[in-house]
Amino acid sequence: MKNYISFEPSIQPEITNENDMYFLFDQNKIMVKKDKKYLDIIRYQDIVNMNIKIENVQYMGTLNGENCFSAGIKKIDSSIDDSQFMDLKSLMLILDENLFLAASKSYLLLNWEKSHKHCGVCGFPMKRKESLSERALICPKCGYTTWPRTSPAIIVAVTKGEKLLLAHNKNFSHGMYSVIAGFVELGETFEQCVKREVFEEVGIQIDNIKYFGSQPWPFPNSMMVGFTAEYSGGQIVEDGKEIVHADWFSKDEIPGMYRESKSIGSELIKWFIETH
């Protein structure tokens, strides 16, 4: 069984351990240690050794029996040769799945606190709610309470017989393709969103929509819900705004067109290759 980190509120341990893991962020980059080809998360002893000043510290829970904390970097007085800052997306290809999930949750939690420093109703500074049943920020003045929020998004693998629909987004690297994705709109079901996004981006109709899986997606604060679907009609017409090219590809044509990673988009493509 995968030992995912718990995101539930819990009691912070009274004793600090030198091996406690700290997911430290400076803006949108996480600080890691590199030993040859192996990457590791910063530990409490590293913070002491490098004299790192941290802020917005939150206890997250445990992973493999080790305490995990989320924090922002306020100041670093010194550094060591094996430390570096990396984009979280790049770590998706490198880190153990459990560590990447914990890092994602840490990033989401840190950004939630940074973007809710003041009450959205009266403007008074927010404080963490003292509760073991929920993780929340509360306004001491008016009582307004806010919880960590996630923006739902869909991602879908559309098949047409023995071919898969892949699209090249204008922001992708040259030659890279992926399946269709998009954010859920207000009052919309996931299934309605799947149909709308596919039609808006490539102009075709689909049916037989089936749930595939889900994944927290911290870019910036989404829950990606994956589906499979089948082509039912229409001709591919790219929207020209996000999608600049889309087409149907057989499993033999796909290798080299996408980057294998721990993302659910990559998993959907691998699912097609393995089942068709």
Side-chain angles (χ1 to χ4, degrees):
M1 180 181 294
K2 294 180 179 180
N3 188 13
Y4 287 134
I5 188 171
S6 171
F7 199 41
E8 296 300 317
S10 53
I11 299 175
Q12 181 171 328
E14 296 181 359
I15 300 175
T16 300
N17 189 296
E18 65 179 15
N19 288 321
D20 288 348
M21 288 190 286
Y22 277 75
F23 296 86
L24 301 183
F25 286 88
D26 184 13
Q27 300 300 325
N28 62 341
K29 292 191 175 182
I30 185 172
M31 189 177 190
V32 294
K33 294 189 300 180
K34 186 174 184 180
D35 180 15
K36 295 181 179 180
K37 294 184 178 180
Y38 180 72
L39 288 179
D40 194 15
I41 301 302
I42 296 295
R43 308 291 174 138
Y44 177 74
Q45 190 59 52
D46 299 316
I47 293 176
V48 174
N49 293 340
M50 291 185 280
N51 195 24
I52 303 175
K53 302 297 188 299
I54 57 179
E55 58 186 357
N56 298 324
V57 182
Q58 280 216 49
Y59 177 61
M60 296 174 63
T62 61
L63 177 62
N64 299 328
E66 296 181 334
N67 295 315
C68 298
F69 295 83
S70 168
I73 295 177
K74 189 174 183 179
K75 183 181 180 183
I76 301 179
D77 290 339
S78 60
S79 62
I80 53 179
D81 293 338
D82 61 353
S83 66
Q84 63 185 99
F85 288 93
M86 296 187 68
D87 184 87
L88 195 55
K89 277 189 176 180
S90 64
L91 291 183
M92 186 186 300
L93 307 172
I94 305 171
L95 278 185
D96 166 83
E97 184 176 356
N98 290 335
L99 277 178
F100 177 74
L101 181 62
S104 299
K105 291 179 177 180
S106 176
Y107 185 63
L108 289 167
L109 179 60
L110 189 63
N111 281 340
W112 167 63
E113 279 213 332
K114 288 172 63 177
S115 60
H116 291 79
K117 291 182 178 181
H118 294 86
C119 176
V121 176
C122 69
F124 201 79
M126 299 288 279
K127 289 187 176 182
R128 293 177 187 171
K129 187 174 183 180
E130 296 181 4
S131 172
L132 291 181
S133 62
E134 60 181 346
R135 192 186 297 273
L137 295 174
I138 187 168
C139 175
K141 187 176 180 180
C142 71
Y144 173 73
T145 305
T146 182
W147 296 265
R149 296 182 179 180
T150 297
S151 300
I154 63 88
I155 187 164
V156 56
V158 180
T159 59
K160 183 181 181 183
E162 295 301 308
K163 292 194 174 184
L164 175 68
L165 176 68
L166 292 178
H168 177 75
N169 188 291
K170 66 178 182 179
N171 296 317
F172 288 178
S173 301
H174 178 71
M176 291 292 103
Y177 282 70
S178 187
V179 289
I180 300 295
F183 285 100
V184 180
E185 292 186 351
L186 185 68
E188 189 175 49
T189 67
F190 286 117
E191 292 79 6
Q192 288 171 340
C193 180
V194 170
K195 288 186 176 182
R196 176 184 55 77
E197 283 290 342
V198 172
F199 182 75
E200 286 181 354
E201 294 193 359
V202 294
I204 65 172
Q205 290 83 39
I206 58 173
D207 58 17
N208 198 22
I209 299 171
K210 295 180 179 180
Y211 175 76
F212 178 84
S214 62
Q215 178 185 39
W217 191 249
F219 310 108
N221 61 334
S222 306
M223 172 61 73
M224 194 71 75
V225 183
F227 295 88
T228 62
E230 296 177 355
Y231 166 84
S232 64
Q235 296 294 323
I236 292 177
V237 179
E238 298 90 344
D239 65 6
K241 297 177 181 178
E242 294 185 33
I243 306 302
V244 294
H245 182 251
D247 208 340
W248 302 101
F249 298 91
S250 69
K251 66 179 182 180
D252 295 327
E253 297 174 301
I254 292 175
M257 295 179 63
Y258 77 108
R259 183 179 292 108
E260 287 196 35
S261 69
K262 300 176 181 67
S263 72
I264 193 169
S266 177
E267 291 299 319
L268 280 165
I269 295 174
K270 286 190 286 185
W271 161 82
F272 170 79
I273 293 174
E274 292 170 359
T275 58
H276 288 72

